[in-house]
Amino acid sequence: MKSKMKIRIKYLVVTMFIMIMGLLSRKYMNIFPTAIAPFIGDMLWAMMVYFGLRFLIPKLKLTETLTLAIIFSFSIEISQLYQADWINNIRSTTLGALILGHGFLFEDLISYSLGIVIGCLLDYLLYHKKQSNVLKRI
């Protein structure tokens, strides 16, 4: 039981760290090369989604978590095509903008995919590589 709790705490800490890095990436965007600066926050947001799912549902295989994170992130982006007053009012708040975004951009789907894949690779390297039955986790 303790090991399950330790795993969840690890994922919570990683999720919070990535969340903070994502917020800072928006504030200090100028430290990144101009070509990639607009995409760093989106990559980190999607990576946070991935690790948040690992925290919420740690029993999932890595590929299952990756798939859920892609579905969730793409759903949020696609929902930005819907521009009703009620949801735009939510998007106009700070929290609503951070979660729901504002307008659909195809580039965001690429950023989300990269962030989630990088998150999954980090997850594998940090927490799963040492396991003897690695293929069963994937």
Side-chain angles (χ1 to χ4, degrees):
M1 184 70 171
K2 280 189 174 182
S3 65
K4 288 181 184 180
M5 185 59 76
K6 285 173 82 172
I7 290 169
R8 292 189 84 180
I9 289 171
K10 284 180 187 179
Y11 285 126
L12 177 61
V13 169
V14 171
T15 302
M16 299 298 285
F17 176 76
I18 293 169
M19 186 184 305
I20 291 166
M21 295 304 295
L23 292 170
L24 290 174
S25 77
R26 298 293 190 191
K27 185 173 182 164
Y28 299 105
M29 194 181 289
N30 60 334
I31 67 170
F32 298 104
T34 308
I36 65 166
F39 307 107
I40 299 294
D42 292 326
M43 288 174 60
L44 290 168
W45 180 87
M47 192 182 300
M48 179 205 63
V49 168
Y50 172 86
F51 281 106
L53 287 169
R54 295 298 291 157
F55 165 71
L56 292 172
I57 320 168
K59 290 183 178 184
L60 288 179
K61 293 179 180 180
L62 298 179
T63 53
E64 293 170 336
T65 307
L66 182 139
T67 302
L68 277 178
I70 290 281
I71 290 168
F72 179 83
S73 299
F74 278 37
S75 296
I76 293 292
E77 190 65 25
I78 291 167
S79 77
Q80 293 171 17
L81 293 170
Y82 181 68
Q83 295 291 318
D85 287 340
W86 71 270
I87 198 162
N88 286 336
N89 288 336
I90 296 170
R91 289 181 181 128
S92 69
T93 67
T94 301
L95 186 59
L98 288 171
I99 295 170
L100 299 175
H102 289 285
F104 177 84
L105 292 172
F106 179 77
E107 297 86 2
D108 288 351
L109 299 177
I110 297 168
S111 297
Y112 297 158
S113 299
L114 286 171
I116 291 166
V117 168
I118 291 168
C120 187
L121 288 172
L122 288 173
D123 189 7
Y124 168 75
L125 293 172
L126 293 173
Y127 301 121
H128 302 286
K129 187 176 181 181
K130 295 178 184 176
Q131 292 181 359
S132 59
N133 292 326
V134 171
L135 293 177
K136 289 183 180 178
R137 289 292 299 162
I138 294 175

